[in-house]
Amino acid sequence: MSASITVFLLAVPMSLGLAVAMGAPLEAGLISAAIGGIVAGLLGGTPLQVSGPSAGLTVVTAELIQIYGWRTTCAITIGAGLLQILLGSLRAARSALAVSPAIVHGTLAGIGVAIALAQLHIVLGGSPQSSAVANALALPDQLDRVSPAAPLIGLLTIAVLVLWPRIPGRIGRGLRRAPTALVAVVAATAVAAVAAPRIARVDLPSWRSHVLPELPQGPVLALATAMFTMMLVASLESLLAAVAVDKLSAASSARVRPAPPPGPAAEAAAPPSAATPSAGPPSSAAPSLPARRSDLDRELRAQGIANVMSGLVGGLAVSGGAVRSSANVRAGARTRAATVLHGVWVLLATGLLVTVLEWIPLAALAALVMMVGIQMVNLAHIRNVHKHREFLVYGATITGVILFGVLKGVAIGIAVAVVVALHRLARTRITVTDRGGLHLVVVRGQLTFLAVPRLSRTLGQLPQDGSVVVELDGFFMDHAAYEAIQDWSNAQTAHGGKVVFTGRSGSRIAEPTSAADACCRPWTPWRNHHCHDAPALLSAAPAPLPDTHADAGPPEDTAPHPVPGTCPGPAPAPDTRPAPDQNQGQDQDEGGQDQDSAGGTAPGFRHSTGPIPSPHTAPRTAAHTDPGPRTDPRAGHSAGPRPEASDVGAAPGPRYGAGGHRLASGLSSFQRHTAPLVRDELARLAAQGQRPSQLFITCADSRLVTSMITASGPGDLFTVRNIGNLVPPPNADSGDHSVGAAIEYAVDVLKVESITICGHSGCGAMQALLGAGPEAEHPPTSLWRWLRHGLPSLKRMSSRHHAWARISGRLPADALEQLCLTNVVQQLDHLREHASVAQRLAEGTLRLHGMYFHVGEAQAYLLTEGASSGLDPDEVFDRVDPAEPAGPTGSDERERTGV
């Protein structure tokens, strides 16, 4: 009920304003709002979408009214509705969205500019002209004869529209519940009633004088074009709004999820955070229904039926509106009842609130619609179009719509898009660089038969016995180009030369793997071992225990997941970069420390003959397929390499057992996929010895993959992992000195340049300390003898002499996160007590870093420089923002920062 009232209060001024902008009878806007809410709401395929008069149809409808009159325009609306019903019955809705987004957004932006120019004349106290160009040319003359009343009321309306959503504080949150459009119109009406009693106002004629459609008169081709144009704009706007409503409703329903039923199956399906003791009591909010995807064909048919009915009773054309629909979702609507009730309220208002509506100044409605038009030129859309190099298409479309109208503007946009696509397909840049005997051939763009002569000529000029790296930066290669490269590669190898094919990032391109290997639909090179379990093995496995390292935060991914061992659908081509070892050593009971040396990719290019990609497929490299190293949030530990295709789904033999099967299959996959790629680099490291730049001390939690979150590889990090990322002080009375030994070895022997202590969210060690308390009696076990090194962190958090460690911009989510952050700061203090560290710090040759990794958010935070060095009492962790994508590699070695 509350959602329907909110949308009703927004729809009434919007409907009147759009009717004024189109030059239509004002009651026609209210009629279309009522029919759109009731008819399209009942029959549509997007339950939460609110339909009514459309800003996108303003220019089209205004032009039709000027040419054919209002009654014929109603008949054209009926014809457009019949076309929509036909297209929906032919299931063509999804095909309509295949138009380039640059064309769609350019069309809507052009319409928005035309709306703003037309309504500016009404705000200035005049009347709009017949086209956007005429409105722009008539502005100087309109400014010469402006009257003060209308512009002042318009400015007041605009000021309220801009400032009302920005009222700060608790009072602002309460006031913002009222629709901004309603507040702006009410304020303007109240001021106009006192200060400008003779200003032009809404004039709703008697329903007895309301006119109905007539048979259209005019050239058949022109009328058919008008119907097609109205159908095209209304359909595109409705379908785009339906897709946007899907996203909004999915985000809204994701805030509250129904809890899974108790039992082993529910526990297995629950995210790790579900088992966290500190997660707090379950929410009392009623669980929302899972978001359903819109039926766009049904929505298109419903829009058509609504347009037919609106045209028959003398209303404006109807389409789905993003503004009204988003207000509906944000007001808490869950079913189509809110949409239908909003239409009922509008229908009642047309008969009962005529006297109230006639107090509204036309300048206020014009200012409201002008702001809607301005907002249709969306800066986010412009940035997105520019990022995808489609701004030329966007600019051509918006210019065409403004100068020549909607249909011609769309045609111009499509023509420019085709020309741009052909230019990109035919354009291929080939450069050759000699790097001291190693020739780098860079091919930018798509490889088609048009580029084969230039490519063959360039490759033919290279020394036949030399080493060549071919960098392919494109996503398409036709058969002619493939055969040309294959023949040259075979000839080069036969003469003793060496050829390596890479992508833009320098990673080698490998042959595509079979479809069986892509069964688990990888997000990254790291795969969870559960992806490879046979269904029989999973059904026989015991119920999983609760995860004691679970994150206390809300689950980040609660979408349904495919059943392990099954193929949910086609998977992207696999990334063949080296996959890191998930634990990089073994964890021990007492202290649980392990040390390993990790490290980086080989500098430069590998001088070995590599396979080339097959035609019609993109060269899959790190730069093109992997948005960044991540773990799979669907599992409690990091994923391992892909096993052999024959291993997937195979039952474990008597030799290994279930756990051994995972180990054996992972090792087998490493030997097949990864070992050939890292063998040269590991051989270099074996010969030269390890030279890591960092000592990285972190928790043994299986969800933390150090090489992944630091973007490092073999030879980069000297890693120490233990329970709780603890650093015992050098004088601690403990029987385990492995952490101190690792610190001394890293600082004095390996001469590392920095030491990082990394904590993480949902740490089980911190949870155990928090639950037991600083004064509790602990059992004499190895685990508790180790955890006592974390008691100083617990005392520090309770002390009034230290500032609370926190994340920049917010307070810790709960006591567990507070302790995890405090523990990083306290262990840095312990680290400074080690003699080798203190000496290097005094010399200025060593730096310390504190780091916190939020597992549920996949987000890293770094302790500020002053706090890491112990000089700043304010213990603040700053968010690490994503780095800009790297350009083409200009050097033979990639810089690694570690964190």
Side-chain angles (χ1 to χ4, degrees):
M1 176 70 75
S2 61
S4 66
I5 294 175
T6 299
V7 180
F8 157 71
L9 294 176
L10 173 66
V12 169
M14 286 286 294
S15 302
L16 292 173
L18 291 172
V20 171
M22 297 177 190
L26 297 185
E27 68 272 14
L30 299 174
I31 290 173
S32 63
I35 291 178
I38 298 173
V39 177
L42 284 173
L43 305 178
T46 310
L48 302 184
Q49 174 158 275
V50 181
S51 301
S54 162
L57 287 168
T58 302
V59 176
V60 176
T61 306
E63 184 178 358
L64 293 178
I65 292 174
Q66 290 179 357
I67 297 175
Y68 299 107
W70 170 241
R71 301 183 67 183
T72 301
T73 301
C74 291
I76 292 173
T77 302
I78 297 173
L82 294 174
L83 286 177
Q84 286 181 305
I85 296 173
L86 176 62
L87 290 177
S89 301
L90 295 176
R91 308 187 68 82
R94 288 283 172 189
S95 302
L97 293 178
V99 181
S100 168
I103 297 176
V104 175
H105 296 312
T107 301
L108 295 178
I111 292 173
V113 172
I115 291 173
L117 288 173
Q119 297 312 295
L120 182 57
H121 282 272
I122 300 179
V123 171
L124 295 175
S127 299
Q129 305 299 313
S130 59
S131 67
V133 177
N135 282 319
L137 295 176
L139 271 179
D141 183 58
Q142 181 64 52
L143 291 172
D144 289 338
R145 47 190 177 85
V146 65
S147 58
L152 289 176
I153 295 299
L155 286 175
L156 174 63
T157 307
I158 294 172
V160 175
L161 289 172
V162 173
L163 299 178
W164 187 261
R166 293 171 171 80
I167 299 177
R170 184 178 302 175
I171 297 177
R173 285 195 298 271
L175 293 177
R176 287 196 297 269
R177 294 180 181 177
T180 307
L182 177 68
V183 174
V185 172
V186 169
T189 302
V191 172
V194 177
R198 297 187 178 182
I199 195 172
R201 304 177 187 275
V202 169
D203 182 16
L204 288 173
S206 171
W207 286 104
R208 297 177 182 177
S209 61
H210 183 68
V211 294
L212 298 177
E214 64 178 4
L215 290 176
Q217 298 177 359
V220 176
L221 181 60
L223 292 171
T225 302
M227 292 179 187
F228 179 80
T229 304
M230 182 175 287
M231 179 274 300
L232 176 67
V233 176
S235 301
L236 282 177
E237 192 167 14
S238 298
L239 295 177
L240 287 174
V243 173
V245 169
D246 275 353
K247 296 177 182 178
L248 283 174
S249 59
S252 177
S253 61
R255 296 171 189 166
V256 183
R257 293 284 186 181
E267 292 176 5
S273 58
T276 305
S278 65
S283 172
S284 59
S288 62
L289 297 174
R292 295 179 58 186
R293 190 176 183 182
S294 295
D295 184 345
L296 296 184
D297 294 302
R298 177 180 173 181
E299 181 65 30
L300 191 58
R301 290 195 297 271
Q303 295 291 332
I305 295 172
N307 272 317
V308 170
M309 294 187 64
S310 181
L312 284 172
V313 297
L316 293 173
V318 171
S319 76
V323 175
R324 293 184 295 265
S325 302
S326 61
N328 190 36
V329 174
R330 293 192 176 101
R334 291 290 178 266
T335 65
R336 64 179 75 243
T339 304
V340 177
L341 281 176
H342 128 270
V344 173
W345 307 142
V346 173
L347 187 62
L348 292 175
T350 58
L352 303 178
L353 299 179
V354 174
T355 305
V356 176
L357 297 178
E358 288 183 337
W359 278 92
I360 300 175
L362 291 180
L365 296 178
L368 174 64
V369 177
M370 185 178 73
M371 290 299 293
V372 172
I374 293 173
Q375 290 169 359
M376 291 174 72
V377 186
N378 194 309
L379 293 179
H381 291 159
I382 295 175
R383 284 193 294 267
N384 194 38
V385 165
H386 186 268
K387 181 176 67 176
H388 290 89
R389 300 187 298 169
E390 295 284 342
F391 187 77
L392 181 61
V393 178
Y394 179 90
T397 306
I398 189 174
T399 304
V401 170
I402 293 173
L403 296 180
F404 307 109
V406 174
L407 195 60
K408 293 179 181 178
V410 171
I412 291 173
I414 293 175
V416 173
V418 170
V419 172
V420 169
L422 290 175
H423 173 72
R424 289 175 178 169
L425 187 62
R427 184 187 180 192
T428 306
R429 294 166 52 194
I430 305 172
T431 59
V432 179
T433 305
D434 187 355
R435 297 184 172 179
L438 175 66
H439 292 82
L440 173 63
V441 180
V442 180
V443 182
R444 304 267 189 248
Q446 318 329 316
L447 277 174
T448 66
F449 66 94
L450 298 173
V452 167
R454 266 192 310 133
L455 179 63
S456 299
R457 184 168 58 252
T458 302
L459 295 177
Q461 294 173 354
L462 300 174
Q464 292 187 342
D465 58 349
S467 297
V468 182
V469 174
V470 180
E471 181 181 312
L472 301 176
D473 181 16
F475 57 84
F476 177 79
M477 178 191 303
D478 69 6
H479 193 72
Y482 173 77
E483 285 200 345
I485 295 180
Q486 182 72 65
D487 293 343
W488 168 82
S489 177
N490 292 338
Q492 188 80 0
T493 305
H495 286 85
K498 297 180 180 179
V499 181
V500 172
F501 291 89
T502 75
R504 184 173 184 178
S505 66
S507 301
R508 275 180 57 174
I509 299 172
E511 292 174 344
T513 343
S514 64
D517 279 340
C519 187
C520 285
R521 204 181 187 96
W523 294 349
T524 69
W526 294 276
R527 312 285 300 284
N528 193 281
H529 284 301
H530 292 299
C531 289
H532 313 308
D533 291 339
L537 175 63
L538 290 178
S539 61
L545 296 175
D547 187 356
T548 59
H549 293 285
D551 192 315
E556 292 297 319
D557 181 13
T558 53
H561 303 130
V563 178
T566 62
C567 291
D575 193 323
T576 57
R577 292 178 298 169
D581 181 13
Q582 72 171 19
N583 283 329
Q584 301 181 357
Q586 64 180 15
D587 301 326
Q588 304 169 4
D589 283 339
E590 188 161 349
Q593 297 88 352
D594 69 83
Q595 295 87 20
D596 63 69
S597 173
T601 1
F605 300 96
R606 299 181 182 87
H607 297 274
S608 61
T609 303
I612 68 171
S614 61
H616 315 298
T617 60
R620 297 285 181 158
T621 67
H624 295 129
T625 64
D626 188 6
R630 294 178 294 181
T631 50
D632 192 333
R634 295 171 292 182
H637 60 76
S638 65
R642 181 187 303 110
E644 295 287 337
S646 60
D647 292 335
V648 177
R655 179 179 178 185
Y656 300 119
H661 166 71
R662 294 173 183 167
L663 175 63
S665 63
L667 293 175
S668 176
S669 177
F670 167 80
Q671 294 301 140
R672 176 182 179 184
H673 297 290
T674 309
L677 300 176
V678 300
R679 186 169 286 120
D680 292 345
E681 173 65 3
L682 292 179
R684 184 187 68 82
L685 290 171
Q688 298 179 2
Q690 61 169 328
R691 298 175 182 175
S693 61
Q694 291 193 52
L695 168 60
F696 198 87
I697 303 174
T698 189
C699 185
D701 191 297
S702 60
R703 295 168 295 177
L704 292 182
V705 184
T706 56
S707 57
M708 182 183 68
I709 63 178
T710 61
S712 56
D716 283 346
L717 302 181
F718 187 72
T719 306
V720 175
R721 305 189 67 160
N722 61 54
I723 304 297
N725 48 275
L726 301 177
V727 179
N731 56 355
D733 183 15
S734 172
D736 190 321
H737 300 283
S738 61
V739 175
I743 294 172
E744 185 176 341
Y745 183 77
V747 173
D748 294 340
V749 179
L750 298 178
K751 302 294 184 183
V752 296
E753 301 171 359
S754 66
I755 303 177
T756 300
I757 296 181
C758 176
H760 68 95
S761 60
C763 180
M766 298 300 105
Q767 177 65 53
L769 286 171
L770 196 62
E775 306 299 335
E777 290 292 333
H778 304 305
T781 62
S782 297
L783 177 60
W784 279 105
R785 282 197 298 271
W786 171 255
L787 287 180
R788 66 181 178 178
H789 298 303
L791 292 176
S793 301
L794 194 60
K795 294 178 181 177
R796 184 189 188 105
M797 187 178 76
S798 304
S799 172
R800 296 183 179 180
H801 302 291
H802 297 280
W804 271 25
R806 60 184 176 85
I807 292 175
S808 178
R810 70 172 176 87
L811 293 175
D814 50 26
L816 177 58
E817 184 174 69
Q818 178 67 68
L819 183 56
C820 292
L821 295 170
T822 304
N823 183 57
V824 173
V825 181
Q826 181 63 40
Q827 301 311 314
L828 284 172
D829 285 353
H830 290 176
L831 184 61
R832 295 187 194 96
E833 296 177 15
H834 287 257
S836 56
V837 174
Q839 181 179 351
R840 288 281 303 277
L841 287 174
E843 296 171 354
T845 58
L846 182 67
R847 298 178 65 183
L848 304 185
H849 301 287
M851 175 179 166
Y852 176 75
F853 186 76
H854 195 293
V855 177
E857 296 175 355
Q859 178 61 54
Y861 299 86
L862 278 178
L863 188 62
T864 55
E865 190 73 21
S868 294
S869 62
L871 302 177
D872 189 352
D874 194 12
E875 300 159 2
V876 180
F877 288 77
D878 288 332
R879 177 189 179 96
V880 179
D881 294 322
E884 291 296 326
T889 52
S891 62
D892 289 340
E893 185 169 0
R894 208 183 311 175
E895 179 183 355
R896 293 185 178 273
T897 59
V899 290

